[in-house]
């Protein structure tokens, strides 16, 4: 998938656990894990905004685009 999720990077920078982030954002740890591991098909803007607020970052700090190898050839 060309969208990479860097929530784990921000968690490490903030020295925060997945459980703490999930609680503060208001989602289950299982749903956060799906998002964090790049298995989510979509993310609500309200969830993205809450993640940014708790982690004190911008959406671009959590999500980035990566070109597919097939698309670049």
């Amino acid at each position: 998938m060309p969208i990479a999720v860097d929530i784990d990077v921000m968690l490490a920078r903030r020295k925060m656990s997945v459980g703490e982030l999930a609680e503060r954002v208001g989602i289950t740890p299982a749903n956060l894990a799906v998002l964090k591991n790049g298995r989510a098909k979509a993310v609500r803007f309200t969830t993205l905004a809450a993640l940014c607020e708790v982690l004190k970052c911008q959406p671009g700090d959590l999500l980035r685009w990566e070109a597919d190898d097939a698309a670049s050839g």
Side-chain angles (χ1 to χ4, degrees):
M1 176 187 260
I3 300 297
V5 181
D6 291 328
I7 291 175
D8 53 346
V9 173
M10 292 306 297
L11 281 171
R13 288 183 182 165
R14 302 298 186 251
K15 296 180 173 65
M16 188 181 297
S17 70
V18 172
E20 181 184 352
L21 179 60
E23 183 178 325
R24 291 178 63 184
V25 169
I27 61 176
T28 67
N31 283 342
L32 181 57
V34 167
L35 181 59
K36 184 175 83 71
N37 295 325
R39 295 188 318 255
K41 300 289 184 201
V43 60
R44 293 179 186 269
F45 282 159
T46 54
T47 302
L48 183 58
L51 287 165
C52 290
E53 182 177 350
V54 170
L55 292 170
K56 296 179 176 51
C57 67
Q58 295 294 313
D61 296 326
L62 302 177
L63 303 172
R64 63 187 156 80
W65 180 80
E66 292 181 338
D68 284 339
D69 289 337
S72 63

